[in-house]
């Protein structure tokens, strides 16, 4: 069985729990409070800004054939920063004063540590899992909302056709890379998948409860 | 003013709050529950085991004159693992089945990401801060307890004379390294100090409340 | 005195020797053999392709304000690869069969090891030195040649106005970063400057003598 | 076929050429000039000192079960530094004034870049190949010489029983790690093996001809 099929089956309950987090449920239902969404936007701005570092190390370490598509992804990450800047400007949020919460800092640290420390395949798993999680979460939001919400830029970015193609490509490449892997290595990659899902869940949880350093 | 004097003054309240965490208060008063101490021991075992990776990268990146003393520290970290293994054996805890909690995983990720990503001076700040925090916490524990507790190995290790000399050496080296630094760089190092104190606090908090992945 | 002024003065003879290497002299005089230029082009193609990895790690490790300009540089490096591909196509060279010579491999290894291992300032010195060396070498070539040579794409790229502005910006940033540095750190950076000049010299030497693995 | 059997067969001529370098031939025949041996000793001192950095990164990145044996290897590398210091003292060489030649610098850069940049298996290939090459070279030297030469410390270190067991262990672990690998990954590891053999050859060549920066 393909790697992604297998891990989605193995960790189906964790994946579902992440996708049905109250943050996503209320956002899809058009009833999430502005304060909570603002808090998420400020933290995700930090997250994306720091994830550019994770991504740059991956550009360094991956085989040459990934560099051109990854340069497009990098441009996409800069576009996401612009989406947050535009949103913050409308909401009169001063993004340059925002500091990462512990969970935002932890997730970014996990990405960065892995970029340098883990082998290429493990980093591919993290990248795929995080992008797939966002794609599915925002498709759910798109399905629940009418046009004209303040979230349209985000919906178009993560639920749109270009992002879908990007996630499909990641999935196909990851499955190809891990084809024929021994069980011991798959066990390690499964752990990395689960860790990433857990951090995704914690990120929604942090935003929903506005969790700060204590 | 020396770097360490200045940051301890600047972040005095955060430092005091960390040192007076209920975990340390109750441990010093001889009234911490065994379950909580066991939980801490299992997580700190994971933490030290992974911190050996942080430390090994520092051995690679620091100037040659630090390598010999750092090899001693490495032996010290292996000794700490032995302390945990001995304790676990007495308490019939199966250490090899323990998984890191999110806060343990986050703190280790912060260390490892910094080891590879940050400059040498920033890593020196992390190392000093974490070791100093442990030294002071365990001196407090030693001051509160009579002889004959199950904690004596840990007390001797972190509150003892050898560890004191090691922390003093770190302090002197860090102050020498940062002497004459421009304000912009000191601002960055101050942030790193505060981050490390915060993670130290969170680690006690995690153990005290047995915080798991949610 | 500014860092760049000081090191160019200190290592003036090495710098001049590099710039007056027979490869550059003969190329500027329009009398370099095609075989030697082809050999250089094939190796510099490899060098640039691998230098993208060095550069990506720098994008990860440098402060945020450098990321946008560095993304432009990354696009510039991809443009250089295209120049080599076009040249190779005209000369019927199969670039994908080219392997790095030992000196090309060594220079790339030096860059990559530094990117991960050395502090940010040391990497800035390498980047500045390598780019400055190419800018000056190709200005010399431009000054010596009439229009209409097969080298025009390379001349325009490295001797042109855009590259001049980029090198000036690197110079100004590096001088600002190192302002007020202690002598001990400057001594380390001076070594890095000299090492980079030496590798630049060796690269011309390797191309001129078509030095291979022995 | 086991990985090591296969690559030794595939690159037999390069391996033999390295082992029959005039440096080793003349050393084994007791007719190598003191000046050349001194030059080698000074450069190998630098090489080992910097290889400790390579090795420390490997200690960080390898699975836990390798850390204890690697700590022994680290002690072994410090012992090698002591052998060089003792030799230099007898020969009145000031080791702290020695600078790396380009080939020494290149080989160390290759090791360090790989430690951070390549996956764990590629680094295992480098480690095995370099240690195996030294073991075989010094066994050849031991076979050719009577007792009582100034080289006995080096012979005992690299041709001795402890080192043989260490190299055997590396070989067995590497063969176990690469068992069942796909052809595409093996092709990459083969390249790394060949590169390491080439750098080993160049190192003898550099010492024999006392090659300096030009």
């Amino acid at each position: 069985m393909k790697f992604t099929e297998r891990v989605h089956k193995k960790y189906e309950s964790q994946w579902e729990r992440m996708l049905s987090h109250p943050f996503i449920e209320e956002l899809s239902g058009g009833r999430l409070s502005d304060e909570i969404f603002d808090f998420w936007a400020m933290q995700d701005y930090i997250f994306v800004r720091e994830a550019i570092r994770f991504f740059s190390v991956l550009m360094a370490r991956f085989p040459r054939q990934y560099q051109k598509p990854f340069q497009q992804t990098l441009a996409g990450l800069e576009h996401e920063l612009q989406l947050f800047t535009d949103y913050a400007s409308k909401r009169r949020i001063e993004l340059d004063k925002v500091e990462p919460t512990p969970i935002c800092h932890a997730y970014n640290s996990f990405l960065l540590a892995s970029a340098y420390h883990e082998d290429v395949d493990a980093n591919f798993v993290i990248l795929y899992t995080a992008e797939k999680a966002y794609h599915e979460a925002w498709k759910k939001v798109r399905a629940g909302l009418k046009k004209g919400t303040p979230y349209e830029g985000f919906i178009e970015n993560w639920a749109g056709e270009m992002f879908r193609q990007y996630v499909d490509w990641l999935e196909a490449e990851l499955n190809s890379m891990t084809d024929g892997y021994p069980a011991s290595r798959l066990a390690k990659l499964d752990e990395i998948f689960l860790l990433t899902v857990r951090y995704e869940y914690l990120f929604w949880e942090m935003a929903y409860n506005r969790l700060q350093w204590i």
Side-chain angles (χ1 to χ4, degrees), chain A:
Chain A
M1 202 192 300
K2 287 175 181 171
F3 176 80
T4 56
E5 281 178 45
R6 197 178 47 72
V7 289
H8 280 291
K9 206 173 192 90
K10 182 171 175 182
Y11 299 114
E12 193 176 10
S13 65
Q14 289 92 336
W15 187 264
E16 283 312 310
R17 200 156 154 267
M18 181 257 293
L19 276 183
S20 55
H21 190 280
F23 187 103
I24 300 172
E25 296 292 334
E26 295 183 16
L27 180 59
S28 309
R31 58 181 196 275
L32 190 72
S33 86
D34 286 352
E35 287 68 30
I36 291 180
F37 193 83
D38 287 358
F39 194 91
W40 169 83
M42 289 185 281
Q43 289 300 313
D44 212 36
Y45 168 78
I46 304 278
F47 178 77
V48 172
R49 193 187 65 199
E50 298 306 309
I52 286 176
R53 302 183 184 283
F54 160 75
F55 202 74
S56 299
V57 182
L58 265 52
M59 287 179 59
R61 294 192 59 209
F62 272 53
R64 171 70 189 153
Q65 72 262 30
Y66 293 106
Q67 287 182 341
K68 283 281 186 79
F70 277 12
Q71 283 164 24
Q72 276 186 281
T73 312
L74 186 63
L77 292 170
E78 289 288 346
H79 172 66
E80 292 179 12
L81 290 186
Q82 192 56 52
L83 287 177
F84 287 116
T85 307
D86 293 348
Y87 179 83
S89 160
K90 277 182 208 141
R91 297 284 301 165
R92 299 176 185 278
I93 296 166
E94 294 179 275
L95 276 184
D96 56 344
K97 293 195 176 159
V98 179
E99 292 191 10
T101 61
I103 284 168
C104 180
H105 190 270
Y107 194 1
N108 277 134
S109 296
F110 164 56
L111 293 186
L112 201 56
S114 301
Y116 290 106
H117 185 75
E118 301 290 348
D119 284 358
V120 160
D121 54 4
N123 281 290
F124 213 136
V125 171
I126 295 172
L127 180 62
Y128 161 75
T129 311
E131 301 290 39
K132 178 80 169 179
Y134 253 49
H135 184 52
E136 294 212 357
W138 285 93
K139 277 201 297 184
K140 207 166 161 179
V141 173
R142 185 179 61 184
L145 291 178
K146 295 180 191 149
K147 296 256 171 184
T149 67
Y151 316 126
E152 279 188 358
F154 302 118
I155 290 172
E156 176 49 32
N157 185 70
W158 287 303
E161 178 57 16
M162 265 182 57
F163 204 82
R164 187 190 65 74
Q165 287 178 19
Y166 164 56
V167 171
D168 284 353
W169 173 74
L170 289 175
E171 188 169 322
E173 290 290 323
L174 176 56
N175 285 330
S176 157
M177 185 186 278
T178 52
D179 188 33
Y181 261 39
S184 59
R185 188 64 192 162
L186 290 175
K188 165 80 180 179
L189 298 186
D190 288 7
E191 269 181 46
I192 298 275
F193 177 85
L194 177 59
L195 258 173
T196 313
V197 177
R198 281 173 159 177
Y199 272 115
E200 284 290 326
Y201 180 88
L202 281 179
F203 203 89
W204 297 119
E205 182 75 3
M206 169 273 288
Y208 191 72
N209 296 299
R210 284 175 274 180
L211 298 173
Q212 274 294 3
W213 295 97
I214 42 181

